[in-house]
Amino acid sequence: KHWYQRRVRGEEAEKRGQNYDIVKNMNASAQELEYYSRRAKKKNPDPGFADFAQSHFRQYERITGQLRVNDSAYERQRQRMGESFYPQAGQIIETGRDELSAIDKMAADVERQITKRSKYSRRRTHVDDADISYINERNKKFNEKCERFYGSYTEEIRQNLERGTAL
């Protein structure tokens, strides 16, 4: 209920042409605002990647936070279903068909997620000054692995070849 009251107050302030955050803070003391701002700074807004379960949970929280409840449709369904709107344990409920607008909204949201996911890729840096010791990308990866594991052993040989003093 508390979130709904905040939403209603926010809509009322918006109708009057005011910023809800400013209106809300007008009734609070300076000490209280300072306390909440310090508390907000302590929270880490982006904990980064920990594991896939955490990543999926963050995505779920972000997506469900963007959902908006259609109050009129909710109220209509509650009136139509009556007492069966609040089912008991083990009771099977029939809600009817979903509205086409809701299905279209869901499809558009899935499409948006797909396009966002396709755009996300980490760009690898390309160094122009680096020696080219490869003939294609696969060979480049192989050479990088060899360098990583055997580079310390072959460094002297490579320097001799570059100087022309190799045996």
Side-chain angles (χ1 to χ4, degrees):
K1 298 254 180 190
H2 186 64
W3 63 269
Y4 184 72
Q5 292 171 348
R6 266 190 310 211
R7 188 171 134 198
V8 170
R9 283 191 224 123
E11 289 172 356
E12 289 172 358
E14 199 173 289
K15 285 179 187 175
R16 291 188 304 246
Q18 297 173 327
N19 186 350
Y20 176 65
D21 292 328
I22 294 173
V23 172
K24 178 181 68 175
N25 291 336
M26 290 290 203
N27 298 328
S29 68
Q31 291 173 339
E32 189 178 358
L33 293 175
E34 185 178 333
Y35 168 76
Y36 284 122
S37 67
R38 268 191 275 120
R39 203 168 128 199
K41 284 180 186 176
K42 282 184 182 178
K43 290 183 181 177
N44 186 2
D46 185 14
F49 180 81
D51 59 359
F52 286 105
Q54 187 71 24
S55 173
H56 286 128
F57 179 71
R58 286 178 58 203
Q59 180 184 20
Y60 168 79
E61 288 290 319
R62 187 185 72 243
I63 291 171
T64 54
Q66 293 171 353
L67 292 177
R68 296 291 165 240
V69 177
N70 185 348
D71 294 329
S72 61
Y74 175 83
E75 199 58 40
R76 278 196 314 265
Q77 186 176 11
R78 192 168 70 85
Q79 294 296 328
R80 183 174 43 92
M81 293 179 69
E83 199 59 36
S84 65
F85 188 75
Y86 305 102
Q88 303 297 319
Q91 183 180 357
I92 298 174
I93 59 170
E94 178 62 38
T95 59
R97 294 202 174 270
D98 292 324
E99 295 179 11
L100 290 176
S101 62
I103 294 171
D104 291 340
K105 184 178 175 183
M106 181 193 67
D109 188 51
V110 169
E111 290 293 329
R112 186 184 53 79
Q113 289 177 33
I114 290 170
T115 56
K116 186 176 180 181
R117 196 176 303 127
S118 68
K119 289 179 184 176
Y120 179 76
S121 67
R122 193 180 81 184
R123 299 300 305 160
R124 309 286 194 249
T125 56
H126 176 71
V127 182
D128 289 331
D129 297 336
D131 292 335
I132 298 176
S133 63
Y134 53 90
I135 57 174
N136 56 26
E137 288 297 317
R138 188 172 177 193
N139 182 249
K140 179 182 176 184
K141 291 287 182 195
F142 177 77
N143 290 348
E144 287 172 355
K145 283 183 183 178
C146 288
E147 178 65 29
R148 189 168 49 239
F149 291 109
Y150 304 112
S152 59
Y153 305 111
T154 60
E155 187 173 342
E156 185 181 344
I157 298 169
R158 190 179 313 110
Q159 288 174 354
N160 288 341
L161 286 171
E162 288 174 2
R163 281 194 305 259
T165 60
L167 297 176

